[in-house]
Amino acid sequence: SGLSGLKQNQILSQAAKNHAEYSAQNEYMGHDEAAGLTRLSGPAGRLSVPRLPYEPGRTLRVRVPARDVLVATRVPEGLSARNVLPGRLAALTGAGPALTAEIDCGGAILTARLTTASASDLGLAIGAPVYAVVKSVAFDPAAIGAGRRSVEI
């Protein structure tokens, strides 16, 4: 199991654990008016976020706290979350009852907080395929900022 192989130098400070997040530039692709959502495309993949007042083509910085990212080992079915991003477990760090998982989704790192028990139940191992799951409402429209065009997309 990946849990038994944690190294001392992988342990994050408590402050870093609490503030870890995904943050990346994303291109504004358009709106889903019926659902009240905006579609974005970025390094981690396509995202659905609450409706934003911008026009397609704009580049926006998106942030999601680690506490709002779930980890799945199979494609989830029958849930309300709109954002399911395939990736690989890049790191699993921490000690005690809580861990931080870093998920590499196409070169973008999403950070998730989970219990040691959950990580053990899932059989998480570094390099294993996983899915980062984020509810659209986890993206705070006030925290999504307009930025200049970027080649980061």
Side-chain angles (χ1 to χ4, degrees), residues 7 13 21 43 54 64-66 86 88 95 100 112 117 129-131 134 137 139 152:
K7 296 180 181 154
S13 71
E21 64 180 25
Y54 303 113
V64 63
R88 294 210 170 267
T100 298
V130 293
Y131 297 86
V134 186
V137 295
F139 295 95
E152 192 176 350

Side-chain angles (χ1 to χ4, degrees), residues 4-129:
S4 61
L6 291 178
K7 296 180 181 154
Q8 197 64 21
N9 64 355
Q10 292 176 311
I11 297 175
L12 299 174
S13 71
Q14 189 61 41
K17 288 179 189 176
N18 291 337
H19 295 99
E21 64 180 25
Y22 164 68
S23 176
Q25 295 291 106
N26 286 261
E27 186 175 348
Y28 200 173
M29 303 302 289
H31 304 295
D32 179 341
E33 297 295 347
L37 299 170
T38 294
R39 294 182 311 275
L40 303 175
S41 180
R46 293 188 179 266
L47 299 172
S48 291
V49 302
R51 176 75 161 78
L52 299 171
Y54 303 113
E55 292 306 313
R58 188 142 195 194
T59 300
L60 304 170
R61 178 159 294 280
V62 174
R63 291 178 184 87
V64 63
R67 70 176 180 269
D68 291 333
V69 178
L70 302 175
V71 180
T73 55
R74 291 186 286 259
V75 176
E77 295 180 11
L79 46 117
S80 62
R82 311 282 306 172
N83 301 293
V84 178
L85 306 167
R88 294 210 170 267
L89 186 64
L92 190 59
T93 57
L99 298 173
T100 298
E102 292 182 9
I103 303 166
D104 183 341
C105 297
I109 301 295
L110 277 78
T111 306
R113 295 283 295 146
L114 67 160
T115 64
T116 303
S118 291
S120 181
D121 290 350
L122 290 171
L124 295 181
I126 305 303

